[in-house]
Amino acid sequence: MLSRRKLIKHLSAIPFVGGLLGPALPVSASLAAPSRKRDLFKELGVRTFINAAGTYTRMTGSLMHDEVLDAINGSAKDFCLIDELQDKVGEKIAKIAHSESAVVTSGAFAGMTLGLAGILTGMDQKKIEALPHLEYTGMKSEVICQKGHDIVYNHALTNTGCKMVMVETVEDVEKAINERTALMHFLHIQSDQGKIQHEEWVALGKKHNIPTSIDIAADVPPVENLWRFNDMGFDFVVISGGKALRGPQSAGILMGKKDIIAAARQHMLPRGYNIGRGMKVNKEEILGMYVALEKFVTQDQNKVWKQWEAGVAHIENAVKKVDGITTSVTAPPLGNHTPTLKIAWDQSKIKMKSTDLQEKLRMGNPSIEVGDGQENNITVTVWMLKPGQEKIVATRLREELSRASV
Ligand SMILES: *Cc1c(COP(=O)(O)O)cnc(C)c1O
């Protein structure tokens, strides 16, 4: 149904309006069709929610700004050549991120696969077609990584046919390096879990003439991280498009040395004889990613941070009024760097488990998702909220926590 206000707007646009608004059913029905937007979530019965949890893949990442959606919608209405678009956008991104070259990929994961594939094959067509089969091709086959950096996403690297070689110390690295070593990979978000830090990792690679890469998928803000690791000398860097950058979740950026990016692109569409053909991005993702990045680097970082702090403070003040609640606000230093509110409770005063609270918020109206915690706490972030939603989150949290008070 058209809202009353919208109906008035429509009626005022036609020259003659016969009768009053109320009973004019045939008029409103005929006017409703062109302006009514389909709510597909509603139509399909898919739950949408206020996201006070954060940038999670399973929750569809982040919401794109209007400028990004404009880039996507606008580009959807014309054809262009993918390679020409990647060239032009790549140049712009490289300039922003201080890298020699860059390409929009279908995510950080794809960027890791493609970057390594480029290193393994260079521009050699035979080698490109051979991947992921490395035996008897003359290609290298090992990637060195610190034990503390060994996460599921390293599958992106083994997808090329390479195997991971785990190390802990500098001595381990020097022992592990051999003629089969293709890459030394680093994971920023767990840099505190490894003995070797970024600069030393890059220096080791340079010393032994082994390329180095870094996964910074979830590691802006701070905005400086976009160029910090290119400046530091990593040969390639990957970042997600659909986390804090608020580009398409089906996008990311691979940036680094010119020859690596050029070779990586041999593994991407429109070419189809490679392992990367399925990691497709079209003009919409490419331009959406570009505009999202542009917006991210030009926004007033302090202002955004202050808005996040204010949102978190609003929620904190509301829940603190419930007896038995303790709160703290911290920003994780590595990855997902945003004010994060931890709400904990004394279980003798508030009879509820964190999973119960999450379920109550999830089933409420509107539905709300908050971050996981231990049995007696949850976490809340505001960076994925729309303006004003912090008030709803605060009210609902206070309601449920008060209700469980004994
Ligand atoms: C999210 C994430 C990835 C995967 O990134 P996509 O852009 O979704 O492909 C890889 N590594 C880390 C550390 C991540 O957080």
Side-chain angles (χ1 to χ4, degrees):
M1 283 294 285
L2 276 177
S3 71
R4 192 170 180 87
R5 201 175 346 154
K6 272 197 197 139
L7 184 59
I8 290 167
K9 212 172 123 197
H10 276 282
L11 289 175
S12 66
I14 40 180
F16 174 70
V17 181
L20 293 167
L21 292 177
L25 269 176
V27 179
S28 73
S30 67
L31 285 172
S35 67
R36 189 200 277 161
K37 279 211 171 135
R38 284 178 77 177
D39 184 342
L40 289 161
F41 290 125
K42 216 171 201 172
E43 223 175 89
L44 298 168
V46 172
R47 177 178 64 99
T48 58
F49 50 83
I50 292 175
N51 180 1
T55 59
Y56 291 95
T57 302
R58 72 188 168 88
M59 295 184 187
T60 63
S62 54
L63 297 183
M64 293 179 269
H65 289 290
D66 286 343
E67 295 92 320
V68 177
L69 293 171
D70 286 346
I72 290 171
N73 286 329
S75 63
K77 291 169 187 163
D78 280 301
F79 291 101
C80 69
L81 294 176
I82 282 282
D83 271 335
E84 186 184 353
L85 187 63
Q86 285 281 30
D87 283 345
K88 295 276 159 62
V89 167
E91 266 173 44
K92 295 278 189 192
I93 293 178
K95 201 170 231 172
I96 291 171
H98 306 188
S99 64
E100 285 180 13
S101 187
V103 63
V104 176
T105 63
S106 59
F109 190 99
M112 286 164 66
T113 303
L114 295 166
L116 175 56
I119 287 172
L120 292 169
T121 64
M123 303 296 279
D124 186 325
Q125 176 86 15
K126 263 207 181 115
K127 289 180 177 171
I128 293 164
E129 288 179 28
L131 282 192
H133 304 290
L134 300 168
E135 266 181 74
Y136 313 116
T137 60
M139 281 189 271
K140 298 184 172 173
S141 58
E142 291 178 8
V143 177
I144 296 174
C145 168
Q146 296 185 74
K147 258 189 193 160
H149 296 195
D150 185 21
I151 58 166
V152 290
Y153 296 124
N154 282 342
H155 209 306
L157 300 170
T158 57
N159 274 354
T160 61
C162 282
K163 69 168 197 173
M164 304 298 296
V165 178
M166 292 301 154
V167 296
E168 281 182 273
T169 62
V170 171
E171 206 179 26
D172 289 348
V173 176
E174 307 231 283
K175 250 194 262 167
I177 289 175
N178 65 64
E179 70 285 351
R180 295 181 299 279
T181 309
L183 180 70
M184 289 171 53
H185 183 68
F186 195 95
L187 175 65
H188 179 68
I189 201 168
Q190 285 181 199
S191 49
D192 59 341
Q193 317 257 318
K195 292 195 169 76
I196 310 170
Q197 288 307 302
H198 311 72
E199 287 90 347
E200 196 170 15
W201 194 253
V202 170
L204 273 166
K206 290 205 189 312
K207 179 177 166 193
H208 295 279
N209 208 18
I210 309 284
T212 50
S213 60
I214 184 167
D215 173 355
I216 60 162
D219 306 339
V220 291
V223 64
E224 292 80 15
N225 277 356
L226 277 168
W227 46 85
R228 183 176 157 208
F229 305 106
N230 289 312
D231 289 345
M232 206 179 270
F234 279 94
D235 292 278
F236 79 75
V237 179
V238 296
I239 187 163
S240 292
K243 292 177 183 165
L245 289 179
R246 297 181 65 172
Q249 158 136 280
S250 51
I253 299 168
L254 165 64
M255 47 198 174
K257 294 281 150 36
K258 225 179 195 104
D259 54 346
I260 295 178
I261 305 304
R265 284 185 55 184
Q266 299 306 306
H267 295 268
M268 295 180 73
L269 80 160
R271 290 151 290 279
Y273 40 72
N274 49 39
I275 59 165
R277 176 59 178 81
M279 304 172 199
K280 191 198 279 183
V281 280
N282 204 21
K283 54 187 157 58
E284 292 82 4
E285 285 91 3
I286 297 170
L287 287 169
M289 184 73 257
Y290 168 47
V291 172
L293 179 73
E294 203 178 40
K295 183 168 174 70
F296 186 81
V297 297
T298 52
Q299 71 186 1
D300 183 340
Q301 309 293 337
N302 283 331
K303 193 174 140 195
V304 171
W305 190 268
K306 289 216 170 89
Q307 281 166 351
W308 289 344
E309 281 184 332
V312 160
H314 179 85
I315 298 169
E316 184 180 28
N317 289 334
V319 297
K320 267 202 312 212
K321 296 194 176 107
V322 182
D323 187 35
I325 291 285
T326 50
T327 58
S328 63
V329 181
T330 51
L334 300 163
N336 301 307
H337 184 62
T338 189
T340 304
L341 171 65
K342 183 173 173 183
I343 304 171
W345 54 93
D346 178 344
Q347 282 181 302
S348 69
K349 290 186 174 164
I350 296 172
K351 290 269 180 231
M352 190 158 51
K353 284 186 193 161
S354 60
T355 46
D356 300 332
L357 176 57
Q358 284 179 309
E359 197 55 21
K360 288 207 155 67
L361 295 168
R362 190 171 291 138
M363 302 315 279
N365 185 19
S367 179
I368 297 170
E369 290 286 342
V370 295
D372 297 330
Q374 285 97 25
E375 196 180 86
N376 72 330
N377 60 65
I378 55 155
T379 59
V380 167
T381 65
V382 299
W383 62 343
M384 293 296 123
L385 297 184
K386 296 179 204 171
Q389 286 183 335
E390 70 280 1
K391 297 204 173 67
I392 304 172
V393 174
T395 305
R396 285 291 297 129
L397 274 166
R398 193 176 163 188
E399 236 167 53
E400 291 301 341
L401 290 166
S402 307
R403 213 169 272 164
S405 296
V406 289

